[in-house]
Amino acid sequence: MELISGEDECLCQRQKYCVARPIYTQEYLQDQLHLRKKEPQSVIHNIKQSCRCTTKKAKSLLYSCIPILKWLPRYPVKEYLLGDFISGLSTGVMQLPQGLAYALLASVPPVYGLYSSFYPVFLYTFFGTSRHISIGTFAVISLMIGGVAVRIAPDEMFDIVGTNTTNSTDMSKFMERDAMRVKVAVALTLLAGLIQLCLGILRFGFVSIYLTEPLVRGFTTAAAVHVFISQLKYLFGIKTKRFSGPLSVIYSLVAVLSNITTTNIASMIVGLVCILMLLGAKEINDRFKKKLPVPIPMEIIVVIISTGISTGLNLSGTYGVEIVGHIPTGFCPPAFPDISLFSRVFVDAVAIAVVGFSMTISMAKIFAFKHGYAVNGNQELIALGLCNSIGSFFQTFSVTCSMSRSLVQESTGGNTQIAGLLSSFMVLLVILVIGYLFEQLPQTVLAAIVMVNLKGMFKQFADIPHLWRTSRLELAIWVVSFLASVSLGLDYGLLVAIAFAILTVIYRTQSPQYRILGQVPNTDIYCDIEEYEEVKENPGIKIFQANTSIYFANSEMYVSALRKKTGIDPGAILIAKKKAQKRHAREMKKANKTEKRAVLKLTNDVEMAAKHEVMNDDPIVDLAVNGKNGSADRTLQDSPSEELEHFMMPIINVHSIILDLTPVNFIDSVGVKTLKSVIKEYKEVGVEILLSGCNGIVMKDLTKLNFFEKNIKRDIIFHSIHDAIIHCKFKASSLALASSEEQILSSDTQSQI
């Protein structure tokens, strides 16, 4: 057999693919192969082996739990240290303003954003497996935390109205509200961390596969809309309450627009100027990133300049611009989170745990693939769980990987998590020494930083035309994820998006592609006959293929597609035959009555003729015998019904159907019953069903589910389509030869008679 690729004509003329082997049924092939002997192990033996501790096993376990022990002793100082140092400084410069800004999203005082930018980053250095991602505060997670904090501790609970207040009584209410929201955020962080830790210990790192890329991108785009609208009030200096839950985006936007006349002009001008500066710097960094040794740290520059201007011009006192306020120096003492809040935040904790891990593992895999190393999903879950759960005792809120900081950390020469460790030390310096210098920082500047950092997320709207051209189903996932998250909130929106993504998987398995295959001439290659002009079907043979497994959800559709594609419906054929036989029986009955009347009349005529001959003394002729073989009766006997002959003869020109099970991954009991029924039905109309391409798992399923019985032998299963085709051709030729011999023998017998 010759296989021609068509890409290189000269090469194809030299290369040939020739195989000479027997026709392999699955049974014959298994008889020729020898299974490896596997001694069954008892449960007790397996437990002993898993509990057995050796030096090598203990060392491997220690390295997997604390990855820094494996790579730090081999750290190439001369090659990596300078790049990690520059990268750490660049990332730390971004950590400071983003930590302050994202704390506002989480509805907690800004200093807790600094805490969240230190403890988790420091811990991830020891437990994480990715060398390039930047762990810390992130807009999406911060917004989800803020929504929960506002829901459990709203302003109304503390009799706070949306106006500026300066008296000590109202300030105490604000402090009480902030303290309660910090308790909610910390409890939520601890629970999310414990969930991540448990999932990592139980090796549930695969859960991220259910968050497909279109779902995550639609979700994060919706989160960007939430974040952008939530920052409008800070940008314009408008006092409105914060909303959470379904339609919170609409309520927040309406609240800002209805109070637009109360805009603080000074706050708006400062915010817009900062946005223009940040956008300009980002454009320069993107355009000249290959020429710049490090990106321009415009965020920290904007923070320093705006803080200096705010302090010098007293923007807070003179123009009423909202500022960050008191930033305590040093750390708060560790405290145990309020676990009584767990029942109220459990669903939100699950959502934050899953989303946080999804963000981390997706970015980690991108950088690992680019730089040629591996990341462990289960260890990433454990690392995140430890960062969040341990950090919660030091008043941090939940963290994950930041896309913008990770890109900066990688592009500025970062090679290991030493860069992340250095960035955490920069945050530590601010917390311990110079944090108070940022107390006069206008909140509108933080809002500008948050809004500009959403630029990358808003670019994801370009996914819509791309997915429209490539995959409408993935576009539906993106759109549903976006709309559900915008309208219902990030927590419920995520649940709806995951449910819809699972439904699309069910839809795909229940709506597979069914094809009739044909042979590429002079090869053992079989392709869709509707797709290629050169592909031809073998006479009398149909090859049916479905790109899905056969189980309870699609077995009926499989049979329906088989009948439609092959053009053979055994039920309809049998019904047609029965109807024809009934019509023939009625005609025969009617013909018999006519025959009886004709015979009776003939008998009477014979008797009259006999009497007449007797009277004339003529010899008696045995007319009865002649009448019995007369023309009328001979016509009835020698001319059977043409309709009966038509329906009793095969009315289809297909003698074999091959079911290609190569794409089938598994088959359940309903699928086995379906195949049995198909084989039986088609056998009744003279069509043989053969199977091909069954993998080992499918063969085990067929054996366990009692597919092979007295009427179904293993010799109907072939190793490949080509084996089945050759078998069908050989059998058809043998039957044709036998039929021709019978016809010759019959004609010889009749001639002798």
Side-chain angles (χ1 to χ4, degrees):
M1 220 176 295
E2 187 176 348
L3 182 64
I4 300 176
S5 65
E7 295 181 358
D8 190 340
E9 186 176 353
C10 296
L11 184 64
C12 289
Q13 291 176 355
R14 294 196 304 269
Q15 292 182 337
K16 289 187 177 181
Y17 171 58
C18 300
V19 173
R21 62 170 178 82
I23 299 173
Y24 281 142
T25 64
Q26 199 70 30
E27 182 180 18
Y28 178 66
L29 183 61
Q30 289 180 354
D31 291 339
Q32 299 298 312
L33 300 176
H34 300 283
L35 294 174
R36 295 182 184 274
K37 294 182 179 180
K38 297 181 180 179
E39 297 182 0
Q41 303 291 343
S42 64
V43 177
I44 297 176
H45 180 271
N46 292 333
I47 294 175
K48 287 182 179 179
Q49 286 295 112
S50 61
C51 296
R52 185 182 177 187
C53 184
T54 62
T55 304
K56 184 178 180 181
K57 191 174 181 179
K59 190 176 180 180
S60 175
L61 181 63
L62 184 63
Y63 283 165
S64 63
C65 293
I66 311 177
I68 193 174
L69 297 178
K70 187 174 183 178
W71 59 263
L72 186 60
R74 294 178 289 180
Y75 181 79
V77 177
K78 293 182 179 180
E79 298 177 14
Y80 283 0
L81 186 59
L82 180 61
D84 284 340
F85 181 76
I86 296 173
S87 177
L89 292 179
S90 303
T91 309
V93 165
M94 291 184 67
Q95 284 269 26
L96 290 172
Q98 288 187 6
L100 296 170
Y102 294 152
L104 295 180
L105 286 177
S107 297
V108 296
V111 69
Y112 293 95
L114 296 179
Y115 298 158
S116 302
S117 299
F118 170 69
Y119 290 108
V121 180
F122 181 80
L123 290 170
Y124 186 82
T125 304
F126 297 92
F127 299 103
T129 60
S130 176
R131 304 175 190 172
H132 296 89
I133 64 172
S134 175
I135 293 294
T137 55
F138 185 55
V140 175
I141 300 297
S142 300
L143 185 67
M144 295 175 74
I145 294 171
V148 179
V150 171
R151 187 185 73 228
I152 296 178
D155 291 341
E156 293 81 2
M157 182 184 293
F158 306 93
D159 297 328
I160 296 175
V161 294
T163 58
N164 285 324
T165 56
T166 56
N167 61 71
S168 59
T169 303
D170 289 334
M171 288 302 299
S172 65
K173 291 181 180 179
F174 278 102
M175 294 176 64
E176 186 180 355
R177 180 202 64 182
D178 291 343
M180 182 60 188
R181 289 182 176 177
V182 169
K183 289 176 63 177
V184 173
V186 168
L188 181 60
T189 301
L190 174 61
L191 185 55
L194 292 176
I195 292 171
Q196 290 171 333
L197 193 59
C198 291
L199 290 176
I201 294 173
L202 296 175
R203 324 311 276 177
F204 270 71
F206 65 88
V207 297
S208 63
I209 64 176
Y210 293 102
L211 295 178
T212 178
E213 184 180 2
L215 185 150
V216 173
R217 293 176 72 86
F219 175 79
T220 52
T221 307
V225 174
H226 278 276
V227 172
F228 185 86
I229 292 178
S230 69
Q231 296 304 294
L232 289 177
K233 65 177 184 179
Y234 297 110
L235 179 66
F236 296 117
I238 297 173
K239 295 290 184 254
T240 63
K241 62 176 292 188
R242 181 166 176 172
F243 299 92
S244 63
L247 301 179
S248 59
V249 170
I250 305 299
Y251 296 145
S252 299
L253 185 60
V254 170
V256 170
L257 294 178
S258 60
N259 292 279
I260 197 69
T261 55
T262 63
T263 298
N264 187 306
I265 302 300
S267 178
M268 182 182 69
I269 292 174
V270 172
L272 292 177
V273 170
C274 291
I275 288 176
L276 293 175
M277 292 176 64
L278 291 168
L279 287 175
K282 279 187 175 293
E283 187 66 27
I284 294 173
N285 289 334
D286 292 340
R287 184 168 296 184
F288 302 102
K289 60 182 178 181
K290 294 183 179 180
K291 297 181 180 180
L292 294 173
V294 293
I296 300 174
M298 185 54 67
E299 291 182 345
I300 193 65
I301 293 174
V302 164
V303 167
I304 294 173
I305 293 175
S306 58
T307 302
I309 293 175
S310 176
T311 303
L313 299 179
N314 191 17
L315 295 180
S316 176
T318 307
Y319 301 100
V321 175
E322 285 289 312
I323 59 174
V324 169
H326 177 61
I327 299 179
T329 302
F331 293 105
C332 295
F336 196 83
D338 187 0
I339 60 175
S340 63
L341 295 170
F342 279 6
S343 59
R344 303 175 66 182
V345 300
F346 178 77
V347 175
D348 305 282
V350 172
I352 289 173
V354 173
V355 172
F357 171 65
S358 176
M359 296 288 184
T360 300
I361 197 64
S362 59
M363 290 296 295
K365 286 182 177 180
I366 290 172
F367 290 126
F369 179 78
K370 181 178 180 180
H371 294 276
Y373 63 92
V375 292
N376 188 326
N378 294 312
Q379 182 58 29
E380 287 298 303
L381 266 173
I382 293 174
L384 272 180
L386 290 173
C387 290
N388 286 323
S389 57
I390 295 176
S392 66
F393 290 89
F394 298 91
Q395 285 75 51
T396 66
F397 55 84
S398 190
V399 297
T400 185
C401 167
S402 168
M403 290 186 287
S404 59
R405 291 197 307 272
S406 297
L407 292 172
V408 169
Q409 181 169 315
E410 188 263 346
S411 63
T412 53
N415 298 291
T416 65
Q417 277 300 328
I418 294 296
L421 187 65
L422 292 174
S423 68
S424 68
F425 286 159
M426 288 193 63
V427 178
L428 176 64
L429 178 66
V430 174
I431 293 173
L432 295 179
V433 181
I434 60 174
Y436 69 94
L437 295 177
F438 296 101
E439 291 181 353
Q440 294 297 319
L441 175 64
Q443 290 187 3
T444 185
V445 176
L446 298 179
I449 293 173
V450 171
M451 288 179 169
V452 172
N453 279 306
L454 298 175
K455 178 184 175 182
M457 293 188 188
F458 281 125
K459 284 183 178 180
Q460 294 176 159
F461 278 113
D463 293 345
I464 295 177
H466 172 70
L467 293 175
W468 177 264
R469 294 189 300 268
T470 56
S471 175
R472 303 285 175 86
L473 201 58
E474 290 188 343
L475 174 62
I477 295 175
W478 195 101
V479 172
V480 169
S481 178
F482 174 79
L483 295 179
S485 300
V486 167
S487 58
L488 301 178
L490 298 180
D491 44 5
Y492 293 111
L494 179 63
L495 295 177
V496 171
I498 293 174
F500 182 77
I502 294 174
L503 287 177
T504 60
V505 175
I506 298 173
Y507 169 77
R508 286 184 177 184
T509 59
Q510 288 188 312
S511 302
Q513 292 183 353
Y514 300 104
R515 293 173 289 189
I516 294 294
L517 304 183
Q519 185 178 15
V520 177
N522 302 321
T523 70
D524 61 347
I525 300 172
Y526 295 84
C527 304
D528 189 354
I529 62 172
E530 296 179 358
E531 190 171 354
Y532 302 102
E533 295 180 357
E534 293 81 4
V535 174
K536 305 297 181 183
E537 288 190 81
N538 289 280
I541 304 172
K542 292 284 187 181
I543 308 170
F544 178 75
Q545 184 190 74
N547 63 336
T548 184
S549 298
I550 308 173
Y551 65 110
F552 68 93
N554 63 1
S555 57
E556 292 184 4
M557 288 179 284
Y558 184 89
V559 176
S560 177
L562 174 63
R563 293 171 179 170
K564 183 178 179 181
K565 286 288 185 179
T566 59
I568 304 172
D569 187 346
I573 293 172
L574 292 174
I575 290 172
K577 282 187 175 182
K578 288 179 180 179
K579 288 182 178 180
Q581 290 171 359
K582 288 180 180 180
R583 287 198 300 269
H584 177 69
R586 288 195 299 267
E587 291 178 1
M588 289 295 294
K589 188 175 180 181
K590 184 177 179 181
N592 287 336
K593 290 181 179 179
T594 305
E595 179 185 358
K596 287 180 180 179
R597 288 196 296 267
V599 170
L600 182 60
K601 182 179 179 182
L602 182 61
T603 303
N604 293 333
D605 292 342
V606 169
E607 290 178 354
M608 293 296 293
K611 290 178 180 180
H612 180 72
E613 291 295 332
V614 170
M615 290 175 66
N616 292 333
D617 295 328
D618 289 337
I620 299 174
V621 182
D622 192 2
L623 294 177
V625 175
N626 293 335
K628 184 177 179 180
N629 297 318
S631 61
D633 193 56
R634 184 166 56 251
T635 302
L636 292 171
Q637 286 189 353
D638 296 342
S639 301
S641 171
E642 294 181 0
E643 185 179 17
L644 178 62
E645 288 183 359
H646 173 74
F647 280 100
M648 294 307 293
M649 291 173 61
I651 61 172
I652 50 179
N653 58 359
V654 175
H655 55 76
S656 300
I657 295 177
I658 301 171
L659 303 181
D660 180 26
L661 303 185
T662 305
V664 175
N665 295 319
F666 70 92
I667 184 169
D668 67 355
S669 59
V670 178
V672 167
K673 291 179 181 178
T674 300
L675 287 182
K676 285 183 177 181
S677 175
V678 166
I679 293 172
K680 181 180 178 182
E681 288 180 356
Y682 279 85
K683 187 177 181 180
E684 291 178 356
V685 296
V687 178
E688 184 182 21
I689 297 292
L690 303 176
L691 310 181
S692 71
C694 298
N695 60 41
I697 296 175
V698 173
M699 286 299 298
K700 288 181 181 179
D701 290 340
L702 293 175
T703 304
K704 289 180 180 179
L705 297 170
N706 300 320
F707 176 73
F708 303 104
E709 296 177 343
K710 295 180 180 179
N711 299 327
I712 302 177
K713 305 297 182 182
R714 291 179 180 268
D715 58 2
I716 70 168
I717 302 180
F718 290 83
H719 178 66
S720 68
I721 298 176
H722 201 61
D723 289 310
I725 288 289
I726 297 174
H727 168 80
C728 292
K729 288 182 176 180
F730 179 77
K731 188 173 181 179
S733 62
S734 300
L735 292 175
L737 180 61
S739 177
S740 62
E741 289 178 352
E742 288 181 1
Q743 290 178 0
I744 293 171
L745 182 61
S746 176
S747 61
D748 291 343
T749 304
Q750 290 178 1
S751 62
Q752 290 176 4
I753 293 173

